[in-house]
Amino acid sequence: MTPAAPLLVVDDIRHRFGGVQALDHVSFGVNRGEIKAVIGPNGAGKTTLFNVVSGLIRPQSGTVRFNGTAISGLPPYRIAGLGLSRTFQTPSLFLNMTTLENVMVGRHVRSRAGLLAAALRLPAQRREERAIHDVSLALLEEVGLAAAARRPVGALSFGQRRMVELARALATEPELLLLDEPASGLNTRETDDLATLIGRIRDRGITVLLVEHDMSLVMDIADSIVVLHFGVPIAEGTPAVIRNDRRVVSVYLGGDFADAASA
Amino acid sequence: MRPRPLVPVLAAALAVVALQVAVTAAGREYYLTQTIMAAYYAVVALGLCLVMGYAGQISLGHAAFFSLGGYTSAVLTTADLTPLARSGWGGPLLRLHLLQARAGLYGGETIGANPWAAFGGALLLTFAVALLVGYPALRLKGHYLAMATLGFGLIVYRLLLGTNLTGAADGITGVPPWRLGFGLEISGDGAQRIANYYVAWGLVLFTILLLTHIVHSRAGRAFRALHGGETAANSMGINTAAYKLRAFVLSALLAAAAGSMLTHYSGGIGPSEASAMKSVRYVALVAAGGMANLWGVLVVSATLNFLSLRGCFGSYDDALFGALLIAIVSLAPEGPLQPLTAQGRRLWSRLAGHRVMTTPEGPAP
């Protein structure tokens, strides 16, 4: 595997829900170290694509390769163990736990103590617990929520919950981070903070693939964009290329505007 | 963050000692008998608390696992294994103390399994059966475990009733004492009552210590995470089916251990221990104790079982526990102790000057 090969390869994925072709021959790659965005109108199949990549849906045909390994068909927990983590469109936190414990769950794939070691609190298990605690607290600090560590996560605001979910995903030390509409429900300031944070995540060497509706955010931070329209990829390229793509403009604004824009 | 169960466990140990001293001083040592039995039932409830309260799965078959432990011990220790002892295997088995001689019913000597060996056999059998029942049910989302365990419990109950080996409707009596060493034995001998009280409550406190450690560990977080959101837990790398099975098997083993020990204490076991109403009772006790609340479950379970064993509920015994379950599920799903424990925690954190980690179960405020 050469270093130039893409980290994630989505190859000819097709998936149908009843009469709806949610994904139709979708192929693209995500290069190491880049921020890639998937955009498209509602119902374009973006979330389905994410569910296929993270293993929640087994695609009817096509393959997904991560780091050269075919991952389509693997259960989500195995895919997570390979270094692919995600957030959800609506933050999907464990409301029966504290903020810190939610992030600590993210360390599961990076730790190993079993039931017996835990029951007896063997020295190795105690050391590991301390490390889990410290790493998780540091991540909460990074998203600005260290003060809420011991509060029940249900007591946090929507925007804060998004940040906790992001910290939880980062706790798995992913190579590839999938963000499903990370800015939805955030106010302008929170969205700006998010953009900065995503930039910092990329600078750490983590590749980011995100689905997003907030166009200004996508145009700001994405290195490359794929546009889905009713399950079909209609364009792929840098923000500058996408912004001037006639088909993309017509999909988003309607055909007349596309003509006007090109006139 | 680190669990500090030692302080409450030591406090509880003091309470256990205080209770014994008070009961003895009051000349009512016979109360200890029901207290001992309540302790063993509490171990079942604590194990079920891990499955229900923390991992969010419902088992309606814990009475069956309790009986599996009790009956395995009873059958193996009371069966006349003299032919086996006289066979070629007899020598090594006797030398390893897996078999032991005891006074026969009509004088002379019979040979049965050593209670330790029977206990080991009970745990092995329960382990295998729990895997068999839990594996298919726990791979599916939803309450399939409740269905599977309900059916399993009914089967075990009918099998016990219809099998001569298990004494059919009479159950098994004449189970020998279990000598633990240091002069301690699990038996109904009046002279051993106080010692048995400490053995039983020692087991309870040991169980709660281990379970508290587990709840605040990687595995415990996995249990609580799959309860809080199975899809999200799976996406975070947790093999949710495997963890559900672990919680279930561990709690089945605790139930079997308690069943085995109580059978030695009582000197026997009957099929009513395996009835569906008994399983409902354990579920009701966990619900009444506040679901994800080991101490709450312990207090509620010990108190209600003690009263039930003293006959305080008369012929409404089973009805009471059924009604309790309905009342809690419909009126106070977080358990009647929830407001109390929340207050207590607030007070404790103010006194101790630090915040307490555990959160109440249930929807976000």
Side-chain angles (χ1 to χ4, degrees), chain B residues 184-209:
Chain B
L184 282 178
E185 64 174 45
I186 301 181
S187 77
D189 180 2
Q192 288 276 343
R193 200 187 266 142
I194 292 180
N196 267 277
Y197 172 82
Y198 284 109
V199 168
W201 280 94
L203 177 73
V204 169
L205 295 181
F206 184 62
T207 304
I208 208 165
L209 185 72

Side-chain angles (χ1 to χ4, degrees), chain B residues 25-280:
Chain B
R28 309 210 165 204
E29 225 163 64
Y30 51 87
Y31 276 3
L32 291 183
T33 299
Q34 290 82 30
T35 319
I36 292 164
M37 296 171 77
Y40 289 121
Y41 290 128
V43 170
V44 185
L46 286 174
L48 189 58
C49 175
L50 185 72
V51 173
M52 278 176 62
Y54 292 96
Q57 311 297 312
I58 292 177
S59 164
L60 283 166
H62 264 51
F65 288 118
F66 177 91
S67 309
L68 214 53
Y71 269 99
T72 308
S73 276
V75 168
L76 290 178
T77 53
T78 57
D80 186 1
L81 299 178
T82 316
L84 178 66
R86 291 207 180 115
S87 74
W89 292 95
L93 288 175
L94 280 165
R95 234 170 291 131
L96 289 169
H97 297 287
L98 293 175
L99 294 179
Q100 68 174 23
R102 67 195 147 83
L105 209 49
Y106 309 105
E109 255 193 358
T110 37
I111 290 178
N114 180 318
W116 284 105
F119 182 70
L123 293 187
L124 275 179
L125 179 66
T126 306
F127 181 77
V129 172
L131 273 183
L132 216 61
V133 173
Y135 182 80
L138 288 171
R139 297 193 72 74
L140 305 166
K141 282 190 193 180
H143 291 311
Y144 290 94
L145 185 67
M147 302 285 188
T149 49
L150 178 64
F152 162 72
L154 294 173
I155 292 169
V156 168
Y157 178 59
R158 300 310 308 190
L159 281 178
L160 291 174
L161 269 182
T163 309
N164 286 329
L165 182 68
T166 59
D170 296 331
I172 296 177
T173 52
V175 175
W178 178 357
R179 297 201 174 79
L180 300 172
F182 310 107
L184 282 178
E185 64 174 45
I186 301 181
S187 77
D189 180 2
Q192 288 276 343
R193 200 187 266 142
I194 292 180
N196 267 277
Y197 172 82
Y198 284 109
V199 168
W201 280 94
L203 177 73
V204 169
L205 295 181
F206 184 62
T207 304
I208 208 165
L209 185 72
L210 296 191
L211 290 178
T212 309
H213 283 161
I214 287 175
V215 164
H216 293 282
S217 74
R218 174 176 181 262
R221 284 189 298 272
F223 292 147
R224 288 182 285 157
L226 73 90
H227 186 189
E230 200 166 335
T231 305
N234 213 322
S235 297
M236 286 300 116
I238 294 167
N239 184 351
T240 46
Y243 271 93
K244 282 192 266 184
L245 192 60
R246 275 173 212 174
F248 178 66
V249 171
L250 177 63
S251 80
L253 287 174
L254 282 172
S260 178
M261 292 170 87
L262 180 55
T263 299
H264 281 284
Y265 176 70
S266 308
I269 185 169
S272 69
E273 284 296 352
S275 74
M277 276 316 299
K278 273 280 159 71
S279 287
V280 169

Side-chain angles (χ1 to χ4, degrees), chain B residues 3-16 42 45-46 49 54 201 204-213 215-216 285-286 288-303 337 341 345 358:
Chain B
R4 293 197 179 81
L6 269 179
V7 176
V9 165
L10 287 178
L14 282 180
V16 165
L46 286 174
C49 175
Y54 292 96
W201 280 94
V204 169
L205 295 181
F206 184 62
T207 304
I208 208 165
L209 185 72
L210 296 191
L211 290 178
T212 309
H213 283 161
V215 164
H216 293 282
L285 288 172
V286 173
M291 295 298 254
N293 183 346
L294 290 166
W295 290 99
V297 168
L298 173 59
V299 169
V300 168
S301 150
T303 311
L337 295 179
T341 48
R345 278 201 181 113
T358 40

Side-chain angles (χ1 to χ4, degrees), chain A residues 77-242:
Chain A
Y77 74 90
R78 293 275 305 278
I79 295 176
L82 291 172
L84 194 156
S85 197
R86 70 169 292 175
T87 64
F88 293 84
Q89 203 168 334
T90 334
S92 195
L93 293 168
F94 310 119
L95 296 180
N96 51 347
M97 298 163 90
T98 65
T99 305
L100 180 61
E101 285 175 319
N102 265 275
V103 181
M104 288 170 83
V105 170
R107 296 301 294 164
H108 189 87
V109 290
R110 300 288 168 193
S111 47
R112 48 186 313 137
L115 269 179
L116 195 65
L120 303 176
R121 295 207 28 92
L122 300 179
Q125 187 263 353
R126 287 165 173 236
R127 266 198 304 279
E128 189 180 89
E129 275 293 300
R130 213 165 304 134
I132 292 173
H133 174 270
D134 294 348
V135 169
S136 305
L137 196 60
L139 283 166
L140 271 183
E141 229 151 73
E142 196 171 338
V143 298
L145 285 171
R150 274 146 217 282
R151 292 174 63 195
V153 79
L156 302 190
S157 75
F158 190 83
Q160 290 173 321
R161 290 190 198 192
R162 278 220 178 285
M163 290 300 148
V164 176
E165 212 193 16
L166 197 57
R168 184 181 68 183
L170 288 173
T172 67
E173 285 175 39
E175 267 188 90
L176 175 65
L177 181 60
L178 268 56
L179 303 174
D180 195 351
E181 298 197 23
S184 82
L186 298 192
N187 62 35
T188 329
R189 219 200 66 213
E190 287 171 329
T191 307
D192 287 346
D193 291 348
L194 176 74
T196 320
L197 185 58
I198 294 176
R200 278 218 306 274
I201 290 169
R202 190 253 321 262
D203 295 343
R204 278 187 183 183
I206 298 171
T207 310
V208 178
L209 175 64
L210 72 147
V211 159
E212 187 49 66
H213 271 304
D214 187 323
M215 275 307 143
S216 62
L217 176 70
V218 169
M219 294 297 168
D220 270 0
I221 64 171
D223 299 310
S224 159
I225 298 174
V226 183
V227 187
L228 280 186
H229 183 48
F230 289 116
V232 184
I234 55 169
E236 183 175 1
T238 61
V241 170
I242 295 298

